[in-house]
Amino acid sequence: MDSARRRVLVTALLALAGAMIGVPGVGHAYLRRWKRSLLWLTVTLGAGILLLSYYVPDPSTLDPFDFDAIPMEVRLTIFVITAVSVFDATLLAYLDGRSTAGIGDDEPSEDGTRSCPHCGKPTDADLDFCTWCTEPLTNTDGVDDTSTETDQPK
């Protein structure tokens, strides 16, 4: 199993484990998408609080350990939000793995960028280094792109 598929699998398993204990966004945290992770946690908690305050007349009498005391509308909504969070984390891991599969593409694209051979992110083809990882850009034969015809001695 290659690392991209392993990352998708680990993300899906962590997202499911987090969803099972009631903490959505764990898969996003594994992917280091901190804002997205906090967003899913906030959306889930906010929806739960709003729906409980709407469907339960006196929330202070609600036993948090009695699962049957929580109305079905609230449980179903929280389940759907959490399932979409798991799907979103898995999809992000899949798309990240797919985008890094082409690492090292030295040919500039039509918009004037090319993929860095070190980190895989798009960078300006006119520069001698990657704007993301600051590594020097090299050709496919390993020769540094930084030397030009004017730099070479005659």
Side-chain angles (χ1 to χ4, degrees):
M1 179 182 290
D2 62 344
S3 63
R5 289 182 190 224
R6 186 178 310 120
R7 185 175 171 103
V8 171
L9 181 66
V10 169
T11 301
L13 290 176
L14 284 175
L16 282 172
M20 288 173 65
I21 63 171
V23 184
V26 174
H28 295 91
Y30 172 71
L31 295 173
R32 296 176 187 245
R33 304 280 182 110
W34 308 114
K35 291 178 185 177
R36 205 167 190 145
S37 176
L38 288 174
L39 175 74
W40 279 111
L41 182 64
T42 305
V43 165
T44 307
L45 290 176
I49 291 169
L50 286 174
L51 289 170
L52 278 175
S53 66
Y54 182 77
Y55 284 105
V56 178
D58 188 14
S60 63
T61 61
L62 189 63
D63 182 17
F65 299 108
D66 185 14
F67 189 69
D68 293 330
I70 299 172
M72 180 58 87
E73 294 87 357
V74 177
R75 285 187 280 171
L76 186 61
T77 305
I78 297 299
F79 174 77
V80 168
I81 291 172
T82 306
V84 172
S85 169
V86 170
F87 177 75
D88 182 50
T90 307
L91 181 65
L92 279 175
Y94 172 74
L95 293 176
D96 283 348
R98 207 170 125 197
S99 68
T100 58
I103 289 180
D105 181 21
D106 283 337
E107 295 299 319
S109 64
E110 55 273 350
D111 62 351
T113 62
R114 69 179 193 179
S115 178
C116 173
H118 302 282
C119 68
K121 293 186 178 180
T123 187
D124 191 359
D126 296 335
L127 295 178
D128 297 335
F129 63 94
C130 175
T131 56
W132 297 98
C133 67
T134 67
E135 292 290 326
L137 299 175
T138 58
N139 287 328
T140 55
D141 59 358
V143 178
D144 194 14
D145 270 352
T146 58
S147 62
T148 61
E149 290 182 17
T150 57
D151 293 338
Q152 295 176 354
K154 293 186 178 186

